[in-house]
Amino acid sequence: MNSSLKELALFGGHPAIPKEYSFKERNTIGNEEKVAACRVIDSGVLSGYVASWGENFLGGNEVKSFEKDWEKAFSVKYAISVNSWTSGLFCMIGAIGIEPGDEVIVSPWTMSATATAIIMWGGIPVFADIEDDYFCLDPSKVRPLINDKTRAILTVDIFGQSSNINELRKICDEHSLYLLSDTAQAIGSHYGNNKTGTICDIGGFSLNYHKHIHTGEGGVLVTNNDELALKMRLIRNHGECSVEKSGIGDISNMFGGNYRMCEIEAAIGKCQLLKLQSSISDRQRVAKSLIEGLQNLKGIQLPKTRPNCTHVYYTFPIILKDKDLFNKRDIIHQALISEGVKGLARGYVNLIDLPMYKQKIAFGKHGFPWSLQEKNKVNYSKDAFPVASHYHDKALLNLEICLYEYTKRDIDLVIASFKKVWDVVELL
Ligand SMILES: *Cc1c(COP(=O)(O)O)cnc(C)c1O
């Protein structure tokens, strides 16, 4: 073995980050949240919801007040809290009223819940490939997939910035489709002057741990549309079963469940919302230092921000651009982990790789909902998604900067680890 390779911790050398060194986990929960949670506990009312029509159908005081704060902060007509963003996605797809067998175009690079929300209503997720630079749905790949079964485009603002929402909006307008967004990872980022997630028909956010702000579990839907807001509130609270006295006209087929947020989470959410901007600024600080420190490494592409947009860096995606590096991605990853880099993932979720899509089986054993399609025509084969598959299988190293606080020293050590590995990368 070449002697300079032996310097790498992977081959027995001293790690760039000493074994006893520890990265502090990010924590935005402080005294404000403690006081807020205790206020609710002292009141004795841990949930203010009632599942029959009336004032409390929309939740208790903390939930309503939290939603008001959110409407103001995001400049939207309606913010609708839910007990997770997975629940939020379910309410979103229910609200647009699809028929079983209808299609929704969605990104394969997302957390599984984005696509299962479609399946839960009997819809069929139709994946379109992602963009080279920003990893969101590629509008040019969306167009050819539209047919008379298509009802919506559900875009994912992945890793911390908006999709190409103007282009997607144009496509939706041309074909009378709903434009929906999963902005779990890009909360508080901007597309032009607007907050990401607020300029589609329905958008929304996760309040799960590791997202920019959190309430334990939770999520928030946003919309400016009266009818969609009402439907999502119905689905959140047992749907048509509970509103016979409401006087609402067409609520047939509006089944729902219990996707309601508790008062404690809402009270914590109010405090967390006030910390959103500082959480974003802090991650931008980390990303800026990483970009400065890593920009001279050969053969890689660091995160780029879409023109006229802002990036809030849920993660820090690094793409191996140089052909010579593709087959080395996994050993480079191993080498970096051995140097002591924490929270570095290989690739992202590529939903087409999941057994559910490979086999086209979700409900029961007979392939529902795909069995509703002629000849199971939707294409989930890997070669239909060259960018998503190549990046996932060979080219992406994703530093999950949501996990740690990243002091200046932490960042310097991460940069030193990358430099050390890149010094000998040709020999690996
Ligand atoms: C976190 C996340 C979700 C799920 O949110 P939960 O609140 O955990 O249910 C969905 N989509 C994306 C893109 C996410 O990052």
Side-chain angles (χ1 to χ4, degrees), residues 23-283:
F23 290 81
K24 191 159 169 266
E25 281 187 27
R26 207 175 262 284
N27 182 8
T28 58
I29 300 295
N31 201 48
E32 302 83 351
E33 286 79 4
K34 204 173 186 174
V35 170
C38 289
R39 180 178 77 233
V40 175
I41 289 170
D42 289 340
S43 78
V45 182
L46 304 191
S47 174
Y49 274 103
V50 175
S52 65
W53 193 248
E55 178 97 2
N56 291 335
F57 184 78
L58 299 181
N61 292 337
E62 298 286 347
V63 160
K64 282 188 226 161
S65 160
F66 171 59
E67 291 177 345
K68 277 227 159 56
D69 289 359
W70 201 282
E71 285 159 6
K72 216 162 157 194
F74 284 80
S75 310
V76 287
K77 194 161 177 194
Y78 301 102
I80 299 167
S81 63
V82 276
N83 58 9
S84 75
W85 178 228
T86 301
S87 304
L89 289 159
F90 180 80
C91 296
M92 170 196 273
I93 301 296
I96 65 167
I98 63 173
E99 287 292 320
D102 280 352
E103 299 178 5
V104 176
I105 297 174
V106 62
S107 172
W109 265 32
T110 183
M111 196 253 164
S112 62
T114 320
T116 40
I118 301 162
I119 294 175
M120 300 244 255
W121 289 94
I124 293 167
V126 174
F127 298 114
D129 206 3
I130 58 170
E131 300 163 301
D132 240 333
D133 289 347
Y134 310 113
F135 321 116
C136 298
L137 263 186
D138 183 337
S140 72
K141 307 281 175 58
V142 166
R143 278 183 192 277
L145 296 170
I146 295 173
N147 61 52
D148 59 359
K149 287 282 185 190
T150 312
R151 292 289 165 267
I153 296 173
L154 170 45
T155 187
V156 182
D157 304 311
I158 205 74
F159 300 154
Q161 66 178 326
S162 174
S163 315
N164 186 350
I165 217 76
N166 269 3
E167 225 17 67
L168 293 171
R169 170 54 80 193
K170 264 188 226 153
I171 299 174
C172 286
D173 289 348
E174 279 166 34
H175 298 272
S176 300
L177 308 175
Y178 286 103
L179 179 57
L180 311 170
S181 81
D182 176 341
T183 310
Q185 300 185 4
I187 182 171
S189 67
H190 283 83
Y191 184 91
N193 293 323
N194 295 293
K195 288 223 158 71
T196 307
T198 65
I199 40 180
C200 13
D201 295 298
I202 308 172
F205 314 94
S206 168
L207 295 170
N208 179 237
Y209 186 45
H210 288 144
K211 297 288 155 62
H212 288 71
I213 56 173
H214 68 111
T215 59
E217 302 290 351
V220 180
L221 290 146
V222 289
T223 185
N224 292 308
N225 181 306
D226 301 346
E227 189 190 334
L228 294 174
L230 174 64
K231 285 190 171 161
M232 292 191 289
R233 285 169 162 169
L234 287 171
I235 296 166
R236 174 174 70 174
N237 204 354
H238 302 285
E240 66 186 55
C241 313
S242 55
V243 290
E244 69 284 2
K245 296 200 195 88
S246 69
I248 297 168
D250 177 23
I251 52 165
S252 56
N253 292 336
M254 193 44 49
F255 74 75
N258 176 348
Y259 306 115
R260 308 173 311 203
M261 182 180 264
C262 292
E263 291 284 274
I264 296 178
E265 286 140 12
I268 291 173
K270 281 165 65 78
C271 306
Q272 284 279 294
L273 185 55
L274 296 173
K275 297 179 178 178
L276 176 58
Q277 198 45 55
S278 64
S279 170
I280 289 171
S281 306
D282 196 56
R283 292 185 200 208

Side-chain angles (χ1 to χ4, degrees), residues 258-318:
N258 176 348
Y259 306 115
R260 308 173 311 203
M261 182 180 264
C262 292
E263 291 284 274
I264 296 178
E265 286 140 12
I268 291 173
K270 281 165 65 78
C271 306
Q272 284 279 294
L273 185 55
L274 296 173
K275 297 179 178 178
L276 176 58
Q277 198 45 55
S278 64
S279 170
I280 289 171
S281 306
D282 196 56
R283 292 185 200 208
Q284 289 171 333
R285 166 192 66 86
V286 175
K288 185 162 176 271
S289 305
L290 286 170
I291 289 171
E292 277 163 18
L294 300 175
Q295 64 190 352
N296 291 329
L297 296 190
K298 264 179 59 189
I300 62 169
Q301 173 190 305
L302 295 173
K304 296 184 195 172
T305 303
R306 198 186 295 282
N308 295 319
C309 293
T310 61
H311 201 312
V312 298
Y313 300 102
Y314 178 64
T315 65
F316 189 88
I318 300 167

